[in-house]
Amino acid sequence: MSIESVKSHLKQWNREGDVMEFDTSSATVIEAAETIGVIPARIAKTLSFKGEGDHAILVVAAGDAKVDNKKFRQTFGFKARMLSPEEVLEQTGHAIGGVCPFGLANDLAVFLDVSMKRFESLFPACGSSNSAIELRLAELFEYSGAKDWADVCKGWEEKGNGETAVGNAVDGF
């Protein structure tokens, strides 16, 4: 599983050709933002947590958001525990740096954090450490098979992001 599984997943919406592959790394929020040419907040990072039972849960959040342990516990009913890199690969099929909610190895619960709602579009990874795709919020919700929106992050509300939710998309979106 990797970028090929993501492209295969996105094919059902005819979006596999929109996956961008870069010569430079996009493995971290900062690297992805620099490579794409957007502010770090517009990078949609996928965080992997131990769920109840054998399967992980994924939370996709804005690049400038941090998980709030109290909000996480109130929302999901258990403590936020990140997966190890080996567990991430096993659960998602993607290695750290390319984790995304598409083309997953297992049927995992995906939640989108409200920190992303201030943007018209965001850039999640696509299964490799040098890929991304620009998606509108509704597309991200649909393509990821998200169960719901969640409010489990902090640190993004008080930041001025230099862009507004309207008028920040790349031409054509």
Side-chain angles (χ1 to χ4, degrees):
M1 298 273 160
S2 60
I3 193 166
E4 290 80 24
S5 67
V6 172
K7 286 181 178 181
S8 177
H9 177 81
L10 294 173
K11 194 174 220 165
Q12 59 194 303
W13 296 279
N14 296 316
R15 294 297 302 273
E16 70 277 11
D18 295 332
V19 173
M20 299 176 279
E21 294 183 70
F22 312 111
D23 293 332
T24 56
S25 175
S26 59
T28 69
V29 167
I30 298 300
E31 288 173 341
E34 288 174 359
T35 297
I36 297 166
V38 297
I39 60 171
R42 286 196 54 214
I43 302 302
K45 61 184 178 184
T46 303
L47 306 170
S48 310
F49 298 94
K50 293 183 183 199
E52 293 183 306
D54 294 336
H55 288 296
I57 65 167
L58 303 180
V59 174
V60 184
D64 62 346
K66 295 185 182 346
V67 172
D68 181 314
N69 288 321
K70 184 177 178 184
K71 285 182 174 183
F72 188 97
R73 184 186 291 273
Q74 287 173 339
T75 300
F76 297 115
F78 52 88
K79 183 179 178 179
R81 294 179 322 216
M82 300 284 295
L83 298 180
S84 70
E86 296 77 24
E87 290 170 322
V88 171
L89 182 58
E90 178 185 314
Q91 288 283 331
T92 68
H94 307 307
I96 298 288
V99 179
C100 62
F102 321 117
L104 299 170
N106 293 296
D107 184 22
L108 303 177
V110 176
F111 295 88
L112 303 186
D113 188 75
V114 297
S115 60
M116 297 188 296
K117 283 191 170 184
R118 60 203 150 126
F119 303 109
E120 187 176 305
S121 67
L122 292 103
F123 295 85
C126 288
S128 70
S129 62
N130 66 330
S131 64
I133 187 170
E134 182 177 18
L135 296 176
R136 294 175 186 259
L137 286 175
E139 292 170 329
L140 182 56
F141 192 92
E142 180 182 357
Y143 301 173
S144 69
K147 291 196 176 296
D148 205 351
W149 287 93
D151 182 3
V152 297
C153 289
K154 63 182 178 182
W156 60 272
E157 306 95 331
E158 58 273 356
K159 291 184 180 179
N161 62 31
E163 296 186 35
T164 61
V166 178
N168 64 354
V170 173
D171 290 338
F173 264 100

